[in-house]
Amino acid sequence: MGQSGIMSCRMEILLLIICAFCLQINYGSQENGICTAAEECQCMDKTSSSKLLNKGGTVVNADRQQQADIYIEDGVVVEVQPNIKVADEVRVLDATGKYVMPGGIDPHTHLEFPFMGQETIDDFFSGQAAALAGGTTMHIDFVIPINGSLAAGFEAYAKKAEKSCMDYGFHMAVTTWNEGVSRDMEILVKEKGINSFKFFMAYKGELMVKDELLLQGFKMCKALGALAQVHAENGEAVAEGQSRMIELGITGPEGHTLSRPSMLEGEATARAIRLAQFVNTPLYVVHVMSIDALDEIVRARQSGQRVIGEPIVASLVLDDSKIWDPDFTIAAKYVMSPPIRASGHNKALQAALSTGLLQLVGTDHCPFNSTQKEAGIIDFRKIPNGVNGIEERMHLIWDVMVNSGQISVMDYVRITSTACAHIFNIYPRKGAILPNSDADIIILNPNATFQISAKSHHSKIDTNVYEGWEGKGKVEVTISRGKVVWEHDRLMIERGSGRYISMPPFGYLFDGMDKIDSAYLSSLKAPVYR
């Protein structure tokens, strides 16, 4: 080793000693492994070189896996090859015996979401910290309009996200229709990097839209090359179901589940699919919770229609048994919409995911504390709907789907990262470990164990719907844009370091749609001249 190499090693050792001292004196300012003191975050961040080498692991993409090293510089993957040689100043991460994969992309989150008189407990810092600890390196959050204004909603969420510590994107909800909304949609797509719009078919009197608005919204999405998304439940029937439960004296959390049976999810899914077919635009069904909805998605896809089905962790690994718990706090934490279904639905969704009938996994991370849930202690209609999942998703999908043999490691990468990047048109910048891709990477040890608990998770929520889950397969290192942000069960993150990811329109789902339109027009054999 030359003189410069010796000096470099000495400097690294000195930095490690200083950082250890920082950790010791600042320990009292940490919460669940998040460095909250500004000086500590800066100190810890200096141990992360701008040049990294992942060495000796099995590199897994959605289409291949290989024994290779990964050289990273300035936040970008430079080279993926076996036996890469680097200079002394490059930090080396030994991944021998482990899987090195693209960081997860969560397509469905609600941070700082105002809903049912409350606001979700996780903001854009705590929620993202939890994500990084769980191996997710990007998420797409839903922007809610302000008084119907999409532009105002976007600006408000952009302000909320200034504290972000990782990459994120936005979907936009549409809750009313007028020329201003149409104009805002165009501006958001062409200037603000939005390429998807969500329509709620539930929550009557709050977010719900009727078929007329769905049609107008779908037509505008098609024109702009933006993906239409739906929360599929029949809102009118749900309202009737809620009234029926109250009349029967069923006021606890079980009333929530009983008031919105799976047939109402199936009906709304079918209706949205048929309206999207009528307009001839792709459709994305969020949080698929039931066999009823699954059947409609499968039927549409088999007929050639472009429909994406997104199950979430809760629908895949939980059942509704806890909603009947006599302890209100326990039962209420499972209240979400559509509801977690009876055992059997989850197994069917797992099978559909393993065979490609469903395409990717989200979380619908929408956390409310137990005190917030108590708003509905005498009336289930007032329990704010939502569960956690942004930190748990990567571990639970590995444990339930890979460890059981239902999917391969490459499938795991596809459903947790690559498919989302493809659908929202940010591949291969995201969702892959390839030269010039963003260096968002996880190192997963398939032999290490994990345990989920509200006492140790990084979300602000005081409960966890996966409490006590023990499994095998742990994310030991998370790299975000080339920086090690999770290692040795500690977070090394910086408030405000997150980056908004603009998502362009006209993704692959729109390819050939013009030809389908042409075929339809030529098939009309009209008008008839008389």
Side-chain angles (χ1 to χ4, degrees), residues 174-176 199-202 207-211 213-214 271:
V174 177
T175 57
T176 189
F199 303 88
F200 290 87
M201 301 172 76
L207 301 171
M208 176 182 150
V209 300
K210 296 185 177 181
D211 289 357
L213 193 153
L214 271 182
R271 181 158 39 99

Side-chain angles (χ1 to χ4, degrees), residues 81-369:
Q81 294 290 339
N83 303 314
I84 298 175
K85 306 298 182 184
V86 293
D88 292 339
E89 69 269 16
V90 177
R91 182 182 175 190
V92 177
L93 295 171
D94 183 7
T96 303
K98 302 170 186 178
Y99 291 110
V100 185
M101 300 179 282
I105 307 174
D106 190 339
H108 190 153
T109 62
H110 296 281
L111 303 181
E112 294 184 62
F113 172 37
F115 184 52
M116 298 181 69
Q118 309 277 349
E119 184 172 272
T120 51
I121 196 70
D122 275 332
D123 60 22
F124 275 83
F125 182 70
S126 67
Q128 292 183 354
L132 291 169
T136 288
T137 52
M138 179 179 169
H139 71 109
I140 311 177
D141 209 78
F142 284 92
V143 175
I144 305 300
I146 296 177
N147 297 324
S149 170
L150 278 56
F154 180 87
E155 293 304 319
Y157 269 73
K159 185 72 175 176
K160 293 177 183 182
E162 287 178 356
K163 62 179 78 68
S164 291
C165 58
M166 75 180 215
D167 289 356
Y168 63 95
F170 286 145
H171 310 288
M172 171 61 70
V174 177
T175 57
T176 189
W177 192 259
N178 53 51
E179 285 193 12
V181 169
S182 177
R183 183 171 58 252
D184 282 351
M185 287 178 70
E186 185 172 4
I187 292 170
L188 289 169
V189 170
K190 294 182 177 179
E191 300 178 15
K192 302 296 185 180
I194 298 285
N195 70 359
S196 53
F197 294 89
K198 180 179 180 180
F199 303 88
F200 290 87
M201 301 172 76
Y203 303 120
K204 183 179 179 180
E206 295 182 53
L207 301 171
M208 176 182 150
V209 300
K210 296 185 177 181
D211 289 357
E212 180 183 5
L213 193 153
L214 271 182
L215 284 168
Q216 294 300 322
F218 285 4
K219 286 165 60 180
M220 193 64 185
C221 283
K222 178 182 179 178
L224 295 171
L227 185 56
Q229 300 179 297
V230 289
H231 171 140
E233 286 183 288
N234 187 311
E236 295 285 357
V238 166
E240 172 63 25
Q242 290 175 328
S243 297
R244 180 187 299 173
M245 292 304 112
I246 296 299
E247 290 171 3
L248 292 171
I250 302 172
T251 60
E254 67 279 4
H256 175 80
T257 295
L258 293 171
S259 69
R260 23 194 354 133
S262 59
M263 69 177 74
L264 302 187
E265 185 185 354
E267 185 280 332
T269 302
R271 181 158 39 99
I273 285 171
R274 283 158 178 76
L275 292 178
Q277 182 183 30
F278 178 68
V279 174
N280 188 33
T281 196
L283 183 68
Y284 182 113
V285 182
V286 304
H287 49 43
V288 178
M289 303 295 290
S290 68
I291 294 171
D292 305 59
L294 170 63
D295 286 346
E296 298 297 339
I297 292 167
V298 170
R299 186 178 295 112
R301 288 179 61 83
Q302 289 176 339
S303 72
Q305 192 174 346
R306 297 178 191 186
V307 180
I308 299 295
E310 171 210 89
I312 61 172
V313 180
S315 67
L316 291 164
V317 310
L318 298 177
D319 60 43
D320 70 348
S321 56
K322 295 291 187 180
I323 205 77
W324 305 92
D325 196 289
D327 185 323
F328 175 86
T329 299
I330 293 174
K333 72 179 179 179
Y334 292 91
V335 170
M336 65 168 296
S337 294
I340 298 167
R341 304 298 183 185
S343 182
H345 289 270
N346 50 5
K347 297 297 184 183
L349 295 175
Q350 289 176 29
L353 187 64
S354 70
T355 54
L357 298 174
L358 297 173
Q359 288 69 53
L360 74 170
V361 180
T363 62
D364 195 7
H365 183 78
C366 188
F368 294 97
N369 264 351

Side-chain angles (χ1 to χ4, degrees), residues 1 24 61 71 74 82 106 119 129 169 215 230 239 253 259 280 288 314 319 328 333 379 413 430 436 517 522 530:
M1 183 184 293
Q24 185 177 8
N61 281 301
Y71 178 57
D74 297 328
D106 190 339
E119 184 172 272
L215 284 168
V230 289
S259 69
N280 188 33
V288 178
D319 60 43
F328 175 86
K333 72 179 179 179
D379 185 345
V413 170
K430 301 290 186 183
N436 299 316
D517 281 336
S522 65
R530 295 182 174 87

Side-chain angles (χ1 to χ4, degrees), residues 363-427:
T363 62
D364 195 7
H365 183 78
C366 188
F368 294 97
N369 264 351
S370 56
T371 51
Q372 294 175 295
K373 295 272 189 176
E374 286 176 0
I377 198 164
I378 61 172
D379 185 345
F380 69 83
R381 295 173 296 181
K382 297 179 182 178
I383 301 172
N385 295 186
V387 301
N388 60 289
I390 200 169
E391 183 170 358
E392 297 80 12
R393 179 182 72 125
M394 299 292 282
H395 288 108
L396 288 172
I397 295 304
W398 182 274
D399 194 39
V400 171
M401 300 298 294
V402 179
N403 285 342
S404 67
Q406 293 187 79
I407 62 172
S408 69
V409 181
M410 291 185 293
D411 288 333
Y412 174 81
V413 170
R414 174 178 54 81
I415 65 177
T416 61
S417 183
T418 309
C420 184
H422 274 299
I423 290 165
F424 295 104
N425 211 15
I426 51 174
Y427 181 90

